[in-house]
Amino acid sequence: EAQVTQNPRYLITVTGKKLTVTCSQNMNHEYMSWYRQDPGLGLRQIYYSMNVEVTDKGDVPEGYKVSRKEKRNFPLILESPSPNQTSLYFCASSKTGMPSYEQYFGPGTRLTVT
Amino acid sequence: RKEVEQDPGPFNVPEGATVAFNCTYSNSASQSFFWYRQDCRKEPKLLMSVYSSGNEDGRFTAQLNRASQYISLLIRDSKLSDSATYLCVVKGGNNDMRFGAGTRLTVKP
């Protein structure tokens, strides 16, 4: 089954404790992306990657890191989480060839930073 | 000004109604356009890409107007199952993605 998986689905942590949210896709997609969704603000792009070893900042990259060492995986790293990073996070992937950039989303990770 | 703007609604319509959503974007270099639906904080799911010539998929029709920088989504013969939030998405020239805040639709019996 074609899918994007994220782990963990729910996470409660404390300020400053480093964490990683994993994202994996089994569709051989080139494009992968992380978003956060906050009430009233919609989804905002954090980072995206066009392919292995290529990453770019999105709209709200501050406080986050990513890496793309393998095509299927795109982890999101919060080196020192803060309460303003409490949010619902989605990972997504898509092809860059036709039909291009039609994204498949993971189920989401609900993060609470206290 | 936000790069992608949508009327937040909510739109409350009876079953069988026709409803239209608009979305405007500010970046004229935008290349690709999409509509997604999202149910109650679940993951967004692609509804349709929007092509320059306009496109239709069953009861759904999407239009793009590059000159005025807006896209639209028309839903005919609304069903209860169409109740969701509809997200407008624009891909920029740098392959970044910009989402509108979404338009909430409730279809009532």
Side-chain angles (χ1 to χ4, degrees):
Chain A
E1 181 192 353
Q3 60 183 353
V4 179
T5 56
Q6 293 179 229
N7 283 292
R9 295 287 313 279
Y10 301 91
L11 180 59
I12 300 174
T13 189
V14 296
T15 300
K17 185 175 181 184
K18 181 179 178 180
L19 66 92
T20 299
V21 184
T22 63
C23 173
S24 183
Q25 49 94 5
N26 63 0
M27 295 168 280
N28 201 36
H29 285 167
E30 297 85 11
Y31 188 89
M32 295 188 75
S33 182
W34 276 103
Y35 301 92
R36 60 177 290 173
Q37 185 171 30
D38 303 289
L41 295 177
L43 276 86
R44 293 178 292 167
Q45 193 171 39
I46 302 170
Y47 271 95
Y48 60 100
S49 169
M50 292 294 293
N51 215 323
V52 176
E53 302 293 0
V54 180
T55 62
D56 285 288
K57 294 179 181 179
D59 201 23
V60 288
E62 297 78 18
Y64 304 95
K65 283 176 58 176
V66 292
S67 67
R68 187 93 182 271
K69 294 188 172 66
E70 303 165 289
K71 197 171 185 180
R72 64 183 293 128
N73 296 324
F74 192 45
L76 179 70
I77 302 155
L78 285 72
E79 295 266 4
S80 183
S82 63
N84 65 11
Q85 293 179 299
T86 292
S87 189
L88 176 58
Y89 291 86
F90 290 106
C91 179
S93 73
S94 71
K95 294 195 294 185
T96 54
M98 291 301 288
S100 57
Y101 299 100
E102 292 182 346
Q103 296 182 86
Y104 290 77
F105 282 78
T109 295
R110 192 170 293 277
L111 172 66
T112 302
V113 183
T114 62
Chain B
R1 183 186 168 197
K2 292 182 183 176
E3 287 208 25
V4 179
E5 297 208 60
Q6 294 182 249
D7 182 341
F11 284 60
N12 297 309
V13 303
E15 268 188 295
T18 295
V19 61
F21 305 136
N22 287 329
C23 168
T24 59
Y25 61 94
S26 60
N27 185 352
S28 59
S30 298
Q31 297 179 336
S32 304
F33 309 88
F34 310 90
W35 284 102
Y36 285 76
R37 69 170 280 165
Q38 184 177 29
D39 295 287
C40 202
R41 302 293 268 180
K42 291 198 165 186
E43 72 271 25
K45 293 187 177 176
L46 179 72
L47 185 63
M48 55 202 306
S49 299
V50 187
Y51 302 122
S52 296
S53 55
N55 46 304
E56 188 174 310
D57 183 3
R59 298 181 293 108
F60 299 85
T61 300
Q63 298 273 352
L64 167 63
N65 185 319
R66 283 191 185 271
S68 300
Q69 296 184 200
Y70 79 83
I71 67 174
S72 64
L73 177 68
L74 183 76
I75 305 175
R76 289 181 298 279
D77 188 22
S78 299
K79 312 290 185 194
L80 296 176
S81 57
D82 293 334
S83 297
T85 297
Y86 290 83
L87 307 173
C88 167
V89 184
V90 175
K91 184 177 88 69
N94 294 327
N95 300 312
D96 56 315
M97 295 287 182
R98 301 283 177 161
F99 281 67
T103 299
R104 180 182 285 182
L105 171 67
T106 301
V107 181
K108 301 191 171 179

